[in-house]
Amino acid sequence: MPDFDKVTLLVGDSATELEIVASTQGHSGLDISKLMAATGLSSFDPAFVNTASTKSAITYIDGDQGILRYRGYPIEQVAELKSFTETSYLLIYGAFPTATELTDFEKKISVRTEHIQQLDGFFRSFPKDAHPMAVLSAAVSALSTFYPETLDPGSEAAIEESTLRLLAMVPVVTAYAHKASIGEDFVAPRPELSMVDNFLNMTFGSNEIPFEQNLIVSKALDTLLLLHADHEQNCSTSTVRLVGSSQANLYASVSAGVNALSGPLHGGANEAVIEMLELINKTSETVETYVERVKNKEDNVRLMGFGHRVYKSFDPRAKIVKATADQVLSELGVTDPLLAVAKQLEAIALADDYFVSRKLYPNVDFYTGVIYKALGFPPKMFTPLFAIGRMPGWIAHWREMNSEANTRISRPQQVYIGEAERSI
Ligand code: CMC
């Protein structure tokens, strides 16, 4: 919090006082809501680099110190001590569940998983090589048509029901998008399994031969989902809030979030990282030649999985993911040359002035693909896995936005640079 509570803005001879919006941690904000009316000027902040679009009590990031906290709890503690389901509950309801609350929550989710037979044709109707992110976003939108009683953003009961439906059904439709892409039958959900084991069974099992549960695989996937569960006002979460501000229902808002996440600068980076590592591993490209191409900005090539808008010293999630990659591959007895390539790339980049001077460090996506691959997922499924992980964060933000009395429809301004009026 700065030691002043107002800023005076001088436009010509006219002074306007702007109030400070106090944070509990990190940077406070400058309230410019009076700016247009008082000065006739809008603020201009491409890509919202300096703009806080909301107050929020869900997640705190200090990008200089590499700090990430869910509802105040450091990500390192959450990853070590809690499950993805407990974390989802924390993000959505504000506190970790008691043992009874957790059992109740798990049950409420598992009884809401179902194989919607009417959607079978929908999943089969896409081209064979359809990207599962496109199918997922369409499927999440389609879910709203099956639960019409859960759509009203003004009803607390409807919001609660759509929350539980999404937590239950997004893993189901993700698994079905995968099954359709490999031409296999859909596997019915098994409510007696945990969320992660149920998802693994629907993805890798069949109706005849269930997926053999493997604690290492389940734990690794649970940890990765939890590490992706929220990241405050990132591109997809801001999209979810923006769409929701029009009072679009939760499914429609979250479906838009899936699309925002799909881009390679956001969640799509995890798939792009594996493609980059494969390129280096399988072609004449080497770590050194690739880094040179990145530095020369040839064809806009970037070191995927590196850099972050907020983190400027390290991404705390990446530290945990890197340690998890070593542990999981060793526990599963997998040797993947791509892990060695990734480590080599990281070492070279961290010692190179191009990356050091721009404060570019590995982000959460740098090592996740190597783990997902070791767990048996094809690269196209990496970003859908991110979407399953981010679901509780999107839901928590949509609910926070929707519960605030003063939420108005989001509607940015522009600085018009086109023609003045002219005649045809
Ligand atoms: N490789 C090479 N150069 C980079 C990279 C990179 N990965 N990231 C940023 N730069 C350079 C960029 O070219 C620019 O250089 P210059 O000052 O010479 O013009 C400078 O660093 C600043 O980059 P920026 O694009 O203005 O930074 P940003 O804050 O707008 O973008 C980012 C952040 C994450 C989109 C970017 O770092 C990036 O493209 N990274 C690779 C994609 C990636 O890994 N995305 C996952 C992000 S973490 C998970 C998630 O949010 O989903």
Side-chain angles (χ1 to χ4, degrees):
M1 177 71 188
D3 53 10
F4 45 86
D5 58 7
K6 279 189 176 66
V7 167
T8 306
L9 179 71
L10 267 181
V11 179
D13 295 337
S14 149
T16 304
E17 292 213 319
L18 303 176
E19 312 258 331
I20 300 291
V21 182
S23 65
T24 53
Q25 293 262 276
H27 61 77
S28 293
L30 183 61
D31 182 348
I32 58 161
S33 54
K34 289 193 289 190
L35 191 66
M36 280 277 270
T39 68
L41 294 171
S42 65
S43 64
F44 181 63
D45 186 23
F48 309 124
V49 176
N50 303 284
T51 297
S53 58
T54 185
K55 295 183 198 171
S56 180
I58 300 172
T59 287
Y60 174 69
I61 300 175
D62 179 330
D64 294 324
Q65 308 283 331
I67 291 171
L68 168 61
R69 296 186 198 128
Y70 293 161
R71 301 276 187 191
Y73 298 106
I75 190 66
E76 295 79 5
Q77 284 180 28
V78 180
E80 194 187 333
L81 303 170
K82 297 293 178 181
S83 68
F84 175 59
T85 307
E86 287 169 296
T87 305
S88 303
Y89 189 100
L90 170 76
L91 291 168
I92 295 169
Y93 303 109
F96 280 119
T98 62
T100 320
E101 285 166 342
L102 179 61
T103 310
D104 184 46
F105 186 53
E106 285 169 338
K107 198 165 163 210
K108 282 179 177 163
I109 293 172
S110 64
V111 298
R112 284 170 176 79
T113 55
E114 59 173 329
H115 177 181
I116 304 175
Q117 314 268 344
Q118 288 137 289
L119 281 179
D120 286 3
F122 165 90
F123 285 114
R124 302 266 181 233
S125 67
F126 294 98
K128 192 103 195 341
D129 57 356
H131 198 288
M133 279 301 270
V135 181
L136 179 60
S137 106
V140 171
S141 220
L143 283 179
S144 68
T145 65
F146 291 91
Y147 310 114
E149 71 290 356
T150 71
L151 304 185
D152 179 3
S155 152
E156 270 184 39
I159 291 168
E160 188 57 18
E161 186 57 31
S162 55
T163 295
L164 296 167
R165 274 294 173 198
L166 277 165
L167 293 175
M169 288 303 292
V170 165
V172 178
V173 295
T174 306
Y176 288 8
H178 170 66
K179 284 293 192 193
S181 77
I182 57 172
E184 287 188 5
D185 287 344
F186 303 123
V187 178
R190 288 179 40 202
E192 75 280 12
L193 295 178
S194 73
M195 181 254 140
V196 163
D197 285 331
N198 195 11
F199 172 67
L200 288 168
N201 186 52
M202 290 183 292
T203 304
F204 297 126
S206 73
N207 287 310
E208 296 73 40
I209 308 168
F211 173 71
E212 203 177 313
Q213 279 180 39
N214 177 326
L215 267 183
I216 301 166
V217 173
S218 309
K219 172 78 184 102
L221 183 56
D222 197 86
T223 303
L224 289 177
L225 294 176
L226 169 163
L227 288 174
H228 288 86
D230 193 40
H231 215 233
E232 49 116 312
Q233 311 307 321
N234 57 84
C235 178
S236 56
T237 303
S238 298
T239 301
V240 169
R241 292 185 85 121
L242 190 126
V243 173
S245 77
S246 75
Q247 296 185 358
N249 65 63
L250 187 54
Y251 305 88
S253 308
V254 161
S255 163
V258 172
N259 284 323
L261 186 73
S262 70
L265 298 190
H266 193 9
N270 56 14
E271 186 181 337
V273 169
I274 282 289
E275 284 165 6
M276 174 184 76
L277 299 177
E278 298 272 15
L279 177 84
I280 296 171
N281 193 43
K282 288 200 180 140
T283 67
S284 57
E285 185 89 74
T286 63
V287 168
E288 289 79 10
T289 56
Y290 191 83
V291 168
E292 264 327 291
R293 288 210 294 132
V294 169
K295 287 163 59 177
N296 295 335
K297 302 192 175 177
E298 275 174 40
D299 308 321
N300 283 329
V301 63
R302 287 194 162 197
L303 185 48
M304 299 311 287
F306 253 68
H308 200 276
R309 170 63 60 76
V310 183
Y311 293 122
K312 297 300 170 197
S313 63
F314 68 95
D315 177 339
R317 303 167 301 173
K319 273 196 169 179
I320 302 171
V321 174
K322 186 178 177 186
T324 308
D326 279 327
Q327 193 192 337
V328 170
L329 266 65
S330 125
E331 284 175 350
L332 291 174
V334 172
T335 321
D336 187 345
L338 298 190
L339 181 58
V341 175
K343 287 188 177 174
Q344 233 184 315
L345 257 181
E346 180 186 358
I348 289 186
L350 292 183
D352 190 303
D353 187 57
Y354 174 95
F355 300 93
V356 175
S357 63
R358 290 173 177 76
K359 301 186 176 174
L360 302 172
Y361 298 88
N363 60 50
V364 69
D365 291 321
F366 195 64
Y367 284 102
T368 48
V370 177
I371 307 178
Y372 292 141
K373 188 165 167 259
L375 302 184
F377 291 100
K380 276 186 175 178
M381 280 291 281
F382 295 178
T383 315
L385 292 169
F386 192 152
I388 297 177
R390 187 53 56 87
M391 199 55 56
W394 288 334
I395 293 171
H397 281 275
W398 186 96
R399 290 172 63 128
E400 185 180 67
M401 177 270 315
N402 190 62
S403 68
E404 275 158 16
N406 58 356
T407 294
R408 298 169 71 191
I409 187 167
S410 289
R411 203 298 187 190
Q413 296 287 340
Q414 66 170 8
V415 176
Y416 177 68
I417 56 163
E419 301 286 348
E421 183 179 357
R422 51 183 174 165
S423 297
I424 299 168

